[in-house]
mmCIF file of all heavy atoms in Angstrom:
data_model
loop_
_atom_site.group_PDB
_atom_site.id
_atom_site.type_symbol
_atom_site.label_atom_id
_atom_site.label_comp_id
_atom_site.label_asym_id
_atom_site.label_seq_id
_atom_site.Cartn_x
_atom_site.Cartn_y
_atom_site.Cartn_z
ATOM 1 N N SER A 100 19.887 73.658 156.226
ATOM 2 C CA SER A 100 19.715 74.778 155.306
ATOM 3 C C SER A 100 20.148 74.431 153.879
ATOM 4 O O SER A 100 19.590 73.549 153.268
ATOM 5 C CB SER A 100 20.464 76.001 155.848
ATOM 6 O OG SER A 100 20.217 77.122 155.047
ATOM 7 N N ASP A 243 16.301 78.605 149.510
ATOM 8 C CA ASP A 243 17.308 77.637 149.960
ATOM 9 C C ASP A 243 16.585 76.445 150.609
ATOM 10 O O ASP A 243 15.353 76.410 150.658
ATOM 11 C CB ASP A 243 18.355 78.307 150.864
ATOM 12 C CG ASP A 243 17.855 78.566 152.264
ATOM 13 O OD1 ASP A 243 16.638 78.761 152.420
ATOM 14 O OD2 ASP A 243 18.665 78.567 153.210
ATOM 15 N N ASP A 245 15.847 75.199 153.554
ATOM 16 C CA ASP A 245 14.853 75.323 154.628
ATOM 17 C C ASP A 245 13.991 76.575 154.446
ATOM 18 O O ASP A 245 13.227 76.947 155.337
ATOM 19 C CB ASP A 245 15.516 75.298 156.001
ATOM 20 C CG ASP A 245 16.403 76.500 156.255
ATOM 21 O OD1 ASP A 245 17.003 77.017 155.301
ATOM 22 O OD2 ASP A 245 16.492 76.938 157.422
ATOM 23 N N ASP A 247 14.341 79.798 154.436
ATOM 24 C CA ASP A 247 14.382 81.061 155.164
ATOM 25 C C ASP A 247 14.952 82.169 154.273
ATOM 26 O O ASP A 247 14.743 83.350 154.529
ATOM 27 C CB ASP A 247 15.143 80.967 156.507
ATOM 28 C CG ASP A 247 16.557 80.449 156.375
ATOM 29 O OD1 ASP A 247 16.950 80.006 155.271
ATOM 30 O OD2 ASP A 247 17.291 80.473 157.386
ATOM 31 N N ARG A 248 15.665 81.772 153.193
ATOM 32 C CA ARG A 248 16.249 82.775 152.300
ATOM 33 C C ARG A 248 15.649 82.676 150.897
ATOM 34 O O ARG A 248 15.357 81.584 150.423
ATOM 35 C CB ARG A 248 17.761 82.577 152.216
ATOM 36 C CG ARG A 248 18.449 82.794 153.555
ATOM 37 C CD ARG A 248 19.947 82.823 153.420
ATOM 38 N NE ARG A 248 20.566 81.534 153.179
ATOM 39 C CZ ARG A 248 21.431 81.293 152.211
ATOM 40 N NH1 ARG A 248 21.809 82.245 151.373
ATOM 41 N NH2 ARG A 248 21.965 80.099 152.083
HETATM 42 MG MG1 MG B 1 18.522 78.524 155.256
#
Side-chain angles (χ1 to χ4, degrees):
S100 185
D243 77 331
D245 66 328
D247 56 352
R248 297 189 286 129

